[in-house]
Amino acid sequence: MQQKAILECAECGKRLRTKIWAAITVGKDRQTDDKIFNDEINFFICEKCGNEGFAWYPVKIKNKDGSEKAMVMPTDTDGFDVIELGEKTSFRVFYDFESLKWEIHSWQGGYNFVFDPPPAEQDIKEAFEKNIVSKEDADILRHTDWESFYANIDHTKNELNWTDEQSKVYDLYMKFMYELMISRKVVSFKK
Ligand SMILES: [Zn+2]
């Protein structure tokens, strides 16, 4: 059974309207069965950036006589998010709790601060003392070439041309600032 869907390319964000399989009964139609074996079920190519991969959606599979049931969830990490399925907004799928946490965090209003490095030595020290950052992370925060982050922003296209390393350091910075802020809000009651 195919359903109308809106997918979003995980690489470039381009959306496409298409149909995806939500459930398949095997043994009924040879062509459909072949698609499973040829990796053609819910496999798409982005016309904008050429990214190819599966739509992240669990497909229910059952045998013709109903004797066997299975669920398949492709974990191709460069695939396509299902944004809308049928007329309904779909669930966004995450592959680890870490990413989910940050998504929830953004739903709840996101950060109360902006990316504004370099971090102050005082803040790094405080975070280290509160076990928010490890010694290694504290050193990364101290010794990163923050200027290069600004140099790699394409202002005309509004794009960040950061390396994986820079993206990691960015995440570290944001977590560090966030957790530091939370820790300062915690009031301890003394008897
Ligand atoms: Zn794309």
Side-chain angles (χ1 to χ4, degrees):
M1 189 183 64
Q2 282 191 295
Q3 290 202 32
K4 276 190 203 165
I6 296 175
L7 307 183
E8 187 179 273
C9 172
E11 288 286 308
C12 75
K14 165 93 180 165
R15 292 194 173 188
L16 78 140
R17 280 174 191 279
T18 182
K19 280 181 170 181
I20 63 168
W21 292 89
I24 297 173
T25 305
V26 295
K28 248 172 58 178
D29 165 37
R30 181 65 196 272
Q31 270 190 323
T32 310
D33 291 0
D34 283 350
K35 280 194 166 73
I36 297 176
F37 289 94
N38 296 333
D39 289 333
E40 288 168 2
I41 295 292
N42 295 348
F43 188 88
F44 298 93
I45 296 171
C46 175
E47 58 178 38
K48 191 180 169 198
C49 74
N51 175 36
E52 45 180 57
F54 292 97
W56 293 330
Y57 193 79
V59 184
K60 293 186 195 107
I61 312 280
K62 66 176 188 201
N63 210 10
K64 197 171 63 172
D65 60 9
S67 57
E68 303 289 340
K69 285 179 184 165
M71 182 97 110
V72 61
M73 179 78 209
T75 53
D76 179 327
T77 52
D78 299 321
F80 295 81
D81 274 325
V82 180
I83 301 298
E84 216 175 283
L85 188 73
E87 303 301 312
K88 296 177 300 199
T89 308
S90 177
F91 290 94
R92 193 165 272 245
V93 177
F94 294 92
Y95 291 94
D96 57 81
F97 277 95
E98 206 52 38
S99 335
L100 176 68
K101 281 187 247 171
W102 290 102
E103 180 71 10
I104 292 172
H105 177 49
S106 77
W107 293 347
Q108 292 173 340
Y111 301 107
N112 290 335
F113 52 89
V114 291
F115 181 59
D116 184 26
E121 176 54 33
Q122 216 180 327
D123 290 342
I124 297 174
K125 240 180 102 184
E126 183 183 337
F128 176 66
E129 280 162 8
K130 288 177 172 170
N131 281 322
I132 290 169
V133 292
S134 65
K135 196 178 175 308
E136 291 75 32
D137 286 346
D139 283 339
I140 292 171
L141 290 167
R142 283 187 183 107
H143 303 300
T144 289
D145 172 17
W146 296 104
E147 284 300 316
S148 70
F149 282 72
Y150 294 113
N152 292 347
I153 296 175
D154 186 333
H155 290 287
T156 51
K157 281 198 273 178
N158 247 333
E159 277 175 7
L160 300 173
N161 298 323
W162 290 348
T163 61
D164 287 352
E165 198 50 47
Q166 284 178 314
S167 300
K168 260 191 235 165
V169 174
Y170 169 83
D171 286 343
L172 172 65
Y173 173 93
M174 295 307 262
K175 271 191 199 188
F176 144 74
M177 288 300 285
Y178 174 68
E179 288 183 29
L180 193 59
M181 190 185 73
I182 295 290
S183 77
R184 286 169 181 166
K185 279 188 183 165
V186 175
V187 181
S188 60
F189 294 94
K190 283 179 186 160
K191 280 183 185 171

